[in-house]
Amino acid sequence: MRLLLLLLCLLFCTGGKGQVKEMVILEEGDMGSLWYGSQRMDKFKELDHTLLTVTYRMNFIQDTVKRKILVDQMILQIGKNYSKFYSQRTFLDDMSYTDFEMGKTVREEGYGIDGTVYIDWDMIFDLSKRTVTTIHRMPYEDEVSKFYSEPMPVLQWEYIDGADSVCGYACHVARTCYAGRLWKAYYTMDIPLNFGPWKLSGLPGLILKAVDSSGEYEFICEGLNDESQPIRSYKWRSKSISKENWRRFERRVHTAPLEALTAGGTRVFRVYDPQTKKSRDLTAEWTVPYNPIERE
């Protein structure tokens, strides 16, 4: 996450008994979201090649009080044996970080629109084993990640009246409940692939649009590409974790981030006010809005 060189200063100091501590200094305006570490992209394994690549616009709300709509571009790669779903802007951040680490010119398109990386996860679907592996980047820590695998969900869809046109394709409508949210999906029989954004799948045609009933998550197809591209699994420094333990950590790092991020005593967090040009220690009152796509 090399943008941290500009917006987040990493300092090192020696603590008691020679313990090396990392001091993380955040800007005052950056307290409402977490920063996720970047990954190296120069080592990988090719799992498959795409039959179709689908680009979705993802609109979502992290802060349910302010209800500001955040935007990301998500990529669904569909292959014969594997599929993959990931954030394009996070991918660009990782590529910029890789260029920096390798001494190359950093790509100008890195870090997306405003430098904020919202989506910390990649998802790889093993279609033969019917499993999905989710890899999470860690907050404020480059080249570290956690992953867990689980069975691909078998969603119970209800076909309902309605129609729409997305990307020029006529769509039918279905709905399902999954992970605490009620989803309405718009799928096209013109592309008879039972895939969709995120974990939404199992309809007789490709899902081109999906909307959560609360209006907090929405995926809308913006483009399709049938040019063959590699589906890659990157060789990251990653440790296995159970989904239950990850969810506990994820909640804690939002509701009590200072406690979660300073566990072990190796890091100190301070906040810098650019107006007064002074910094202060962060306190336990610091919280980050938490509204995960999976509620349960």
Side-chain angles (χ1 to χ4, degrees), residues 155-171:
L155 305 180
Q156 302 301 315
W157 291 99
E158 177 189 1
Y159 299 98
I160 59 177
D161 292 335
D164 200 351
S165 177
V166 183
C167 280
Y169 291 91
C171 292

Side-chain angles (χ1 to χ4, degrees), residues 18 105 123 138 147 184 209 256 272 296:
T105 302
M123 305 176 75
M138 296 298 289
F147 72 93
K184 183 181 288 186
K209 179 180 175 181
Y272 173 75
E296 58 185 42

